[in-house]
């Protein structure tokens, strides 16, 4: 363990050192065609890039203007100035106040310098020079150089994270990096356009690139706030429901958690995972329409009571339908008591006819019911509940979902 930790240190300081060597051997020289003020201006623009960075929903990073501006600096003013701008203009306040460890600050400088160097090398090789750019030949060189920069940047960060977290590079790459790449590549055309505009009119015009970003940032922030409101609303509803029935307190929250984990294991996309968490939270919301005597009844139901209780999935679906942001969640709530063999309710759907979301929630729901104390029965251990799920796989539950739940029990719940 100690060895890997020092490997991480060696990696961080190695990249930082490489950056320092590159900077020391590339001292900027000012030539005709641009002034020190132009370079300082573009440096300030890079520094402001973070301030207008547009956040991606659900905390998944930001689209920053800093990178395409760095590309512009390299193409217009050459490798040396480009590398110094990349290293210095990207310093943030917290890098300077000691909030971020010195090693990390220097690693980031080193990484950006190395990436800028590689960009300059590729671009220089493909295009043959700096200071002006001619389309479309220059565009090809630009995209190639920007791709090299982006990939190298992702690899260096990924490797650093892998060493720090003592995990494999591929798992970091899959979990933290891959989704980021399309966002980074999407900024290339903006970068190319910036270079073209700076070449025609000078760097001042770059200010105009910030305006649409600012507008996007404000509207995206509103969208994020709206989702937060939705999730608070869903949470409030589930708390209200659980409060009526103290025995099932926390049930909705746990079903939501298990459903999210299952959806992830089954390879559903981020949006579906997010949606199923909301719907899992509200899967029994139809019980608000049930009387207290029914909800709190200890022991078996009469036929009429059972028929009454069964209605909660349809009532729930009607409630979810009103919340347009939950989309197909309505169907998941309606069918969360269907069984794979077709003997469930309300519609007696079987196998794949039951929407996947409903099959997932059904399994999460049953697992939580088995593993929590109820007035009329003692809770089962995770091992016992696992056996029960396996015994009902194919009849009550979807075997695929049970398989994923077993993995969650073995790898996450039993290890806690
Ligand atoms: Fe239910
Ligand atoms: Fe439930």
């Amino acid at each position: 363990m100690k060895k890997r930790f020092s490997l991480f240190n060696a990696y961080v300081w190695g990249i930082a050192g490489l950056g320092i060597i590159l900077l020391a051997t590339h001292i900027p020289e000012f030539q005709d065609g641009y002034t020190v003020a132009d370079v300082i201006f573009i440096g300030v623009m890079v520094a402001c890039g973070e301030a207008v960075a547009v956040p991606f929903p659900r905390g998944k990073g930001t689209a920053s203007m800093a990178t395409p501006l760095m590309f512009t600096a390299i193409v217009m003013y050459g490798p040396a100035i480009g590398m110094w701008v990349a290293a210095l203009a990207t310093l943030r306040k917290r890098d300077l106040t000691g909030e971020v460890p010195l090693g990390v600050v220097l690693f980031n400088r080193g990484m950006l310098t190395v990436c800028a160097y590689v960009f300059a090398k590729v671009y220089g090789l493909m295009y043959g020079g700096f200071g002006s750019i001619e389309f479309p030949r220059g565009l090809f060189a630009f995209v190639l150089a920007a791709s090299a920069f982006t990939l190298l940047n992702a690899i260096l960060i990924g490797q650093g994270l892998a060493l720090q977290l003592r995990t494999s590079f591929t798992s970091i790459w899959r979990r933290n990096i891959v989704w980021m790449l399309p966002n980074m590549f999407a900024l290339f055309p903006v970068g190319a356009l910036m270079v073209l505009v700076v070449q025609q009119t000078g760097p001042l015009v770059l200010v105009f690139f910030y305006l649409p970003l600012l507008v996007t940032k404000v509207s995206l922030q509103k969208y994020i706030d709206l989702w937060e409101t939705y999730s608070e609303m869903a949470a409030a509803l589930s708390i209200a429901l659980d409060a009526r029935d103290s025995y099932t307190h926390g049930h909705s929250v746990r079903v939501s958690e298990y459903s999210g984990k299952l959806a992830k294991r089954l390879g559903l996309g981020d949006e579906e995972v997010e949606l199923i968490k909301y719907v899992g939270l509200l899967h029994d919301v139809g019980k608000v329409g049930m009387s207290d005597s029914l909800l709190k009844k200890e022991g078996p139901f009469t036929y009429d009571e059972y028929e009454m209780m069964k209605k909660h999935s349809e009532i729930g679906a009607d409630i979810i339908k009103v919340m347009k942001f939950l989309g197909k969640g309505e169907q998941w709530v309606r069918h969360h008591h269907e069984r794979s063999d077709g003997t469930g309710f309300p519609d007696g759907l079987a196998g794949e006819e039951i929407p996947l979301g409903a099959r997932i929630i059904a399994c999460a729901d049953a697992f939580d019911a088995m593993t929590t104390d109820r007035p009329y029965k003692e809770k089962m251990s995770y091992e016992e509940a696992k056996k029960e799920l396996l015994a009902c796989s194919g009849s009550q539950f979807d075997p695929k979902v049970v398989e994923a739940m077993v993995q969650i029990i073995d790898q996450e719940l039993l290890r806690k």
Side-chain angles (χ1 to χ4, degrees), residues 3-13 160-161 163-164:
K3 194 172 156 235
R4 298 216 48 175
F5 184 67
S6 53
L7 205 63
F8 170 67
N9 274 343
Y11 178 76
V12 166
W13 289 103
L161 277 174
L163 286 172
Q164 187 185 23

Side-chain angles (χ1 to χ4, degrees), residues 52-118:
V52 291
V54 177
F56 294 122
R58 299 188 272 281
K60 288 218 150 191
T62 51
S64 162
M65 217 47 164
T67 315
L69 277 162
M70 269 182 243
F71 297 163
T72 310
I74 302 169
V75 170
M76 293 311 297
Y77 308 135
I81 289 177
M83 278 152 63
W84 279 87
V85 165
L88 295 184
T90 51
L91 277 164
R92 296 151 306 173
K93 200 173 147 211
R94 58 200 168 109
D95 293 326
L96 301 171
T97 52
E99 253 179 87
V100 182
L102 182 67
V104 177
V105 176
L106 291 179
F107 169 78
N108 284 333
R109 305 307 105 222
M111 180 182 64
L112 288 168
T113 308
V114 173
C115 292
Y117 175 77
V118 168

Side-chain angles (χ1 to χ4, degrees), residues 122-150:
V122 173
Y123 182 81
L125 218 76
M126 298 303 299
Y127 190 68
F130 299 89
S132 68
I133 185 168
E134 202 182 281
F135 286 82
R137 195 165 66 89
L139 187 66
F140 178 67
F142 183 90
V143 169
L144 217 63
S147 304
F149 178 104
T150 306

Side-chain angles (χ1 to χ4, degrees), residues 251 283-284 287 309 312-313 333 336-337 345 365:
H251 171 67
H283 75 282
D284 275 337
K287 287 187 181 169
M309 195 66 176
H312 81 271
S313 45
V333 169
H336 80 275
H337 283 288
F345 60 86
D365 190 18

